[in-house]
Structures are given as structure tokens and as C-alpha cells.
Amino acid sequence: MIYNLIKYLLKVTIYSYFRRVSIVGQENIPTEGPVIFVANHPSALIDPLVIITGIKRRIHPIAAAEFFGGNLRTWILKNKFHMIPVYRPNLHNDSSKTGNSDMFTHCHHLLLNKGALLIFPEGTSETDKGVRNLKTGAARIALEAERLSKNKIKVKITPIGLNYSNSHKFRSDLFVKVGPPVLTENINSDSNKQVNDLTDLIKKGLIDTLLHTGSKELNKLTNAIENFYQNYLEESMDIRKDDAFSHFKIQKKIIEATLYSLDKHKEKAVKISNRINRHLDRKKSEGIYLNDAFKKLSFGEVVKLIFGLPFYLLGCVLNLLPFFLVIKIFQSIEIKEAFRGSSAMMIGLLIFLFWYISIGVMSTFITRLSIIGIIIFIVGYLSGLYAILWSKLFFIFSQKLRVYRMKKIKSKVYHEIRTEQKKLIEALNEFRVVFDSKMN
């Protein structure tokens, strides 16, 4: 009961924290039988919460023992959240614990009873795109569980790719891709490198679900190209704004094309990349941060701004106090980068939940009508979300207004930026034609 209630609250929080959560490949999620879910780990606490709340099965996450804390906290995490502690040798000196024999035994028992595990095989959480080198734990657990069952069970290892536009930014996007299961039968059973071979297959499965470049330097390069070129590609291909899977495929293609161009035409590709960075920096120096800023303001946008203003103001009245309180608390504590998004989300959950309950109870007390309290609770939440949407629309409006003023007051700068933009798109289109011809 408590677990399901907390799971529901966390799911609402996740869908409020992120602007858009999209999941593809749900047909690859086993509804029964032994399974190990494996995922990349860019955002500490958010990662397991996204997976646990997105899958109907009861999942047992393996988590670092140092997060368990005292006896009460350990009891809650183990018995109410079904977490399994793993002791990392670099953080614990007790050899009886760092061998993790209890953890392995617990995992084998769960799989033999057709349970579900969640493992982050990178071992630590770092804010990186793609996947880093993997630990062998998932492979060892799967192989040993099958051996203990005398091959009566077949463990499915299901890769899950967590692709954040920015895991630490409120109202960013999250695209989750669930890949087909990795099976132990796909490796050579006679090999003495079974664990390493299976770990390699797991990594390949994860790479297929992620925007993977392989290095931070390439991440920076592809990010710049995506920021500049992706909108143009999506518009030229008539891709809808809410089509997350198509966005993902385009980003994948940009990465593949960039890697190909760096391999075959490195000097030319680097020059284009440097030009893109200079172009983006110049736009920022003029206060322009959105590619959509150069589009004309539509009649529909003006109507939404005017008629949406009262609802925006209502959202501000009901939500500004907890919103600024979250910011104040968040800024007052020192947080590691990988935990920033997780901390902001959890602080927001506690403060906003307390706030909505408080204004709901106060409304009920004042009016002596419980229905009024419930309505205030719901209106507070929904108007807060609308206020965020209206704020974004107003920011787009202000960006377009800035471009309009630049066109009138700094016409030379405007035309230089637009001319360079067109030249860069032409250059990238040339790379695209060459890449497509090689791939077909």
C-alpha cells in the first residue's frame, strides 16, 4: 500500500519535473519470468525512479550501500523499496562485505523465483551522454542464476536507454528506449570468457538505446551540430514536435554522420564545427538563444499570450511561494553534479506536496466544504503547470521581438547572422548528401 502510493506520487512528480516523457519499446519489457533491467546512469536518483515508476512489475534495484545510512533508513529501503545494497571496494574496507556474497545470493534467489532486478552496470553516476565501460556484475548474476537452476530458467537482460535533454534542468525532455533482451544463449557456452562476452553484448544493447558518441569531446561537437541543425532537419522532414522517437533517430543519424565526416573529411568537418560554434556564440552575444526566434510571430501565439495571461497569473499566485522556496533551498546546499536533478525533483516533491495539501486544508477549513479544498489542490497543480507553459511562450515571443528589433536597428548584424546561417545549412546539407549516399 505505502509502496504503491509513493510510486504513484513519484510518477506524478517525474511527469511534472520533465516537460515530456516518451517511452518506446515497451513490448520488450518482460511481464513475467526472471529479468535483469540494465540502464545507463547519468542522473543518480532520477534514473531508478524513472524505471521503477515506468514498469508495472515489482523491481528490486541494486544500490550503493553508502546511500542506505542508519538502521531505520536501511530497513525502509530494503523492506519497503526492495533495494539491495552493494558494497564498493574503494569505499569500504571490510572484506567480508566488499565480496558482496549476500548481494549475489539475494539476486540469485530473486531470479530463481522469476523476479526482476535493476542494475546500473556503469557502477557510478556521471552526467554523460551514451554509455561508459561496464562492470561485469549483471553478466555474472545472470550466468550464475541459470547455472544454479541447472538451466531450467533463462534470464532476460533488458537494456534501457535514458536519454535526457538535460537531466538537471526543470521541464527538460526525457526519451526512454527499451531494447530487445540480451540472452546468455547468444554467447559461446564453451568460452572461458563468458562473463566478458555477455558484458560486451549488454554494452552493445545499451548503445543501441542511447545517443552514444564514445567521448566527451565528440559529445560537445555533436551537441553543437544538433543545436544548430536539428530543427532545420525536423522541419524539412515534417516531423511533429511531439514525435520523440523521430527526434531520437535524427540525433542518432547526426552522431553517425559526424563520426563518418570526422573519419573521412576531418579537416573540413572541424572547420564547419568551429564556424557553427562561432555562429551560436554570436547569436548568444545578441541575446538570441532559440532557433525559432527567426520565425514570424503567429496570430495563434498572440492569442494564447493574451487569453492565457489570467491563468498564468492564477498559477503564479498559487505557486510562486513554494517555487522560490525550492530554489532557495536548492541553492543553499552543496550537491554533486550527478545529484542536481534528483535533489531538485525530490525537494520540489516534498515542498509542493506540503503546499498543495496546506492550501487545500485551509480552503476546506475556511469554506467548511471539502470539495473546495480538493478543487484548490487540483487547480494549484494544473495552474502551476500552465504558468510554466505560458512563461515559455512569452520567452519565445521576447526572442522574436528581439530579432525584429535587431533587424530594424542592427540590420547589418541581422543580415550577417542570417547569411552565415544559410551557408552553414548548405555546408551541412552537402555532408548529409555524401553520408546518405555512402549508407545506401
Side-chain angles (χ1 to χ4, degrees), residues 292-316:
D292 288 345
F294 289 91
K295 295 179 182 177
K296 291 181 179 179
L297 187 68
S298 68
F299 177 73
E301 288 174 323
V302 175
V303 170
K304 287 179 182 177
L305 281 171
I306 294 173
F307 288 97
L309 180 59
F311 301 101
Y312 164 76
L313 294 174
L314 175 64
C316 288

Short mmCIF file of all heavy atoms in Angstrom, two decimals, residues 292-316:
data_model
loop_
_atom_site.label_atom_id
_atom_site.label_comp_id
_atom_site.label_asym_id
_atom_site.label_seq_id
_atom_site.Cartn_x
_atom_site.Cartn_y
_atom_site.Cartn_z
N ASP A 292 14.05 29.20 -33.22
CA ASP A 292 12.72 29.65 -33.62
C ASP A 292 12.57 31.16 -33.55
O ASP A 292 11.55 31.71 -34.01
CB ASP A 292 11.65 29.01 -32.73
CG ASP A 292 11.47 27.53 -33.02
OD1 ASP A 292 11.95 27.07 -34.07
OD2 ASP A 292 10.84 26.82 -32.20
N ALA A 293 13.55 31.86 -33.00
CA ALA A 293 13.46 33.31 -32.86
C ALA A 293 13.39 34.02 -34.21
O ALA A 293 12.88 35.14 -34.30
CB ALA A 293 14.65 33.84 -32.06
N PHE A 294 13.90 33.38 -35.26
CA PHE A 294 13.91 34.00 -36.58
C PHE A 294 12.62 33.76 -37.36
O PHE A 294 12.47 34.23 -38.48
CB PHE A 294 15.12 33.50 -37.38
CG PHE A 294 16.42 34.03 -36.88
CD1 PHE A 294 17.16 33.34 -35.94
CD2 PHE A 294 16.92 35.25 -37.33
CE1 PHE A 294 18.35 33.83 -35.46
CE2 PHE A 294 18.12 35.76 -36.86
CZ PHE A 294 18.84 35.05 -35.91
N LYS A 295 11.69 33.02 -36.76
CA LYS A 295 10.39 32.80 -37.40
C LYS A 295 9.45 33.96 -37.04
O LYS A 295 9.59 34.60 -36.01
CB LYS A 295 9.77 31.48 -36.94
CG LYS A 295 10.56 30.25 -37.36
CD LYS A 295 9.88 29.00 -36.84
CE LYS A 295 10.66 27.76 -37.20
NZ LYS A 295 10.04 26.53 -36.64
N LYS A 296 8.46 34.18 -37.91
CA LYS A 296 7.50 35.24 -37.65
C LYS A 296 6.57 34.84 -36.51
O LYS A 296 6.26 33.67 -36.32
CB LYS A 296 6.67 35.52 -38.91
CG LYS A 296 7.47 36.16 -40.04
CD LYS A 296 6.57 36.44 -41.23
CE LYS A 296 7.37 37.12 -42.36
NZ LYS A 296 6.52 37.38 -43.54
N LEU A 297 6.14 35.84 -35.74
CA LEU A 297 5.20 35.60 -34.66
C LEU A 297 3.83 35.31 -35.26
O LEU A 297 3.31 36.10 -36.05
CB LEU A 297 5.13 36.83 -33.75
CG LEU A 297 4.31 36.68 -32.47
CD1 LEU A 297 4.99 35.70 -31.52
CD2 LEU A 297 4.14 38.04 -31.79
N SER A 298 3.24 34.18 -34.88
CA SER A 298 1.95 33.79 -35.46
C SER A 298 0.80 34.41 -34.68
O SER A 298 0.94 34.78 -33.51
CB SER A 298 1.81 32.27 -35.46
OG SER A 298 1.68 31.78 -34.13
N PHE A 299 -0.35 34.49 -35.35
CA PHE A 299 -1.56 35.03 -34.72
C PHE A 299 -1.97 34.15 -33.53
O PHE A 299 -2.40 34.66 -32.50
CB PHE A 299 -2.69 35.11 -35.75
CG PHE A 299 -3.99 35.60 -35.17
CD1 PHE A 299 -4.17 36.93 -34.84
CD2 PHE A 299 -5.04 34.71 -34.96
CE1 PHE A 299 -5.37 37.38 -34.29
CE2 PHE A 299 -6.24 35.15 -34.41
CZ PHE A 299 -6.41 36.49 -34.08
N GLY A 300 -1.81 32.85 -33.69
CA GLY A 300 -2.18 31.92 -32.62
C GLY A 300 -1.37 32.13 -31.36
O GLY A 300 -1.89 32.03 -30.24
N GLU A 301 -0.07 32.45 -31.52
CA GLU A 301 0.78 32.70 -30.35
C GLU A 301 0.33 33.94 -29.60
O GLU A 301 0.32 33.97 -28.37
CB GLU A 301 2.24 32.84 -30.80
CG GLU A 301 2.88 31.53 -31.24
CD GLU A 301 4.27 31.74 -31.81
OE1 GLU A 301 4.49 32.76 -32.49
OE2 GLU A 301 5.13 30.88 -31.57
N VAL A 302 -0.06 34.97 -30.34
CA VAL A 302 -0.53 36.22 -29.72
C VAL A 302 -1.82 35.97 -28.94
O VAL A 302 -1.98 36.44 -27.81
CB VAL A 302 -0.76 37.31 -30.79
CG1 VAL A 302 -1.36 38.57 -30.15
CG2 VAL A 302 0.54 37.65 -31.49
N VAL A 303 -2.73 35.19 -29.54
CA VAL A 303 -4.00 34.86 -28.87
C VAL A 303 -3.74 34.10 -27.58
O VAL A 303 -4.35 34.39 -26.54
CB VAL A 303 -4.90 34.03 -29.82
CG1 VAL A 303 -6.11 33.48 -29.06
CG2 VAL A 303 -5.37 34.89 -30.99
N LYS A 304 -2.84 33.11 -27.62
CA LYS A 304 -2.53 32.31 -26.43
C LYS A 304 -1.93 33.19 -25.33
O LYS A 304 -2.23 33.02 -24.15
CB LYS A 304 -1.55 31.19 -26.78
CG LYS A 304 -2.17 30.05 -27.58
CD LYS A 304 -1.13 29.00 -27.92
CE LYS A 304 -1.72 27.89 -28.76
NZ LYS A 304 -0.68 26.90 -29.16
N LEU A 305 -1.07 34.14 -25.72
CA LEU A 305 -0.45 35.03 -24.73
C LEU A 305 -1.49 35.92 -24.06
O LEU A 305 -1.48 36.09 -22.84
CB LEU A 305 0.61 35.90 -25.41
CG LEU A 305 1.97 35.24 -25.67
CD1 LEU A 305 2.83 36.15 -26.54
CD2 LEU A 305 2.69 34.95 -24.35
N ILE A 306 -2.41 36.47 -24.86
CA ILE A 306 -3.39 37.41 -24.31
C ILE A 306 -4.42 36.69 -23.42
O ILE A 306 -4.65 37.06 -22.27
CB ILE A 306 -4.10 38.17 -25.45
CG1 ILE A 306 -3.10 39.06 -26.18
CG2 ILE A 306 -5.27 38.99 -24.89
CD1 ILE A 306 -3.64 39.71 -27.43
N PHE A 307 -5.03 35.64 -23.99
CA PHE A 307 -6.10 34.97 -23.25
C PHE A 307 -5.56 34.02 -22.17
O PHE A 307 -6.30 33.63 -21.26
CB PHE A 307 -6.99 34.20 -24.23
CG PHE A 307 -7.86 35.08 -25.08
CD1 PHE A 307 -7.47 35.44 -26.36
CD2 PHE A 307 -9.05 35.60 -24.57
CE1 PHE A 307 -8.27 36.27 -27.14
CE2 PHE A 307 -9.84 36.44 -25.34
CZ PHE A 307 -9.46 36.78 -26.63
N GLY A 308 -4.31 33.68 -22.27
CA GLY A 308 -3.72 32.80 -21.25
C GLY A 308 -3.17 33.56 -20.06
O GLY A 308 -2.86 32.95 -19.02
N LEU A 309 -3.07 34.90 -20.17
CA LEU A 309 -2.48 35.71 -19.10
C LEU A 309 -3.20 35.53 -17.75
O LEU A 309 -2.54 35.37 -16.71
CB LEU A 309 -2.45 37.17 -19.51
CG LEU A 309 -1.85 38.15 -18.48
CD1 LEU A 309 -0.42 37.77 -18.16
CD2 LEU A 309 -1.93 39.59 -19.01
N PRO A 310 -4.55 35.55 -17.70
CA PRO A 310 -5.23 35.38 -16.39
C PRO A 310 -4.89 34.04 -15.73
O PRO A 310 -4.71 33.99 -14.51
CB PRO A 310 -6.72 35.46 -16.75
CG PRO A 310 -6.77 36.21 -18.03
CD PRO A 310 -5.53 35.82 -18.77
N PHE A 311 -4.81 32.98 -16.52
CA PHE A 311 -4.49 31.67 -15.96
C PHE A 311 -3.03 31.61 -15.50
O PHE A 311 -2.71 30.95 -14.51
CB PHE A 311 -4.76 30.57 -17.00
CG PHE A 311 -6.19 30.54 -17.47
CD1 PHE A 311 -6.55 31.10 -18.68
CD2 PHE A 311 -7.17 29.97 -16.68
CE1 PHE A 311 -7.87 31.08 -19.12
CE2 PHE A 311 -8.50 29.94 -17.09
CZ PHE A 311 -8.85 30.51 -18.32
N TYR A 312 -2.17 32.33 -16.22
CA TYR A 312 -0.77 32.43 -15.81
C TYR A 312 -0.66 33.13 -14.45
O TYR A 312 0.06 32.67 -13.56
CB TYR A 312 0.03 33.19 -16.86
CG TYR A 312 1.37 33.68 -16.39
CD1 TYR A 312 2.45 32.80 -16.25
CD2 TYR A 312 1.57 35.02 -16.06
CE1 TYR A 312 3.68 33.25 -15.80
CE2 TYR A 312 2.80 35.48 -15.61
CZ TYR A 312 3.85 34.59 -15.48
OH TYR A 312 5.07 35.03 -15.04
N LEU A 313 -1.40 34.24 -14.30
CA LEU A 313 -1.36 34.98 -13.04
C LEU A 313 -1.91 34.14 -11.89
O LEU A 313 -1.38 34.19 -10.77
CB LEU A 313 -2.16 36.28 -13.19
CG LEU A 313 -1.58 37.31 -14.17
CD1 LEU A 313 -2.53 38.48 -14.34
CD2 LEU A 313 -0.22 37.78 -13.70
N LEU A 314 -2.95 33.36 -12.17
CA LEU A 314 -3.50 32.47 -11.15
C LEU A 314 -2.45 31.44 -10.72
O LEU A 314 -2.26 31.17 -9.53
CB LEU A 314 -4.74 31.75 -11.68
CG LEU A 314 -5.36 30.69 -10.75
CD1 LEU A 314 -5.86 31.34 -9.47
CD2 LEU A 314 -6.49 29.94 -11.47
N GLY A 315 -1.75 30.88 -11.71
CA GLY A 315 -0.69 29.92 -11.43
C GLY A 315 0.42 30.53 -10.59
O GLY A 315 0.97 29.88 -9.69
N CYS A 316 0.74 31.80 -10.88
CA CYS A 316 1.79 32.49 -10.10
C CYS A 316 1.35 32.69 -8.66
O CYS A 316 2.12 32.44 -7.72
CB CYS A 316 2.10 33.85 -10.74
SG CYS A 316 3.01 33.72 -12.29
#
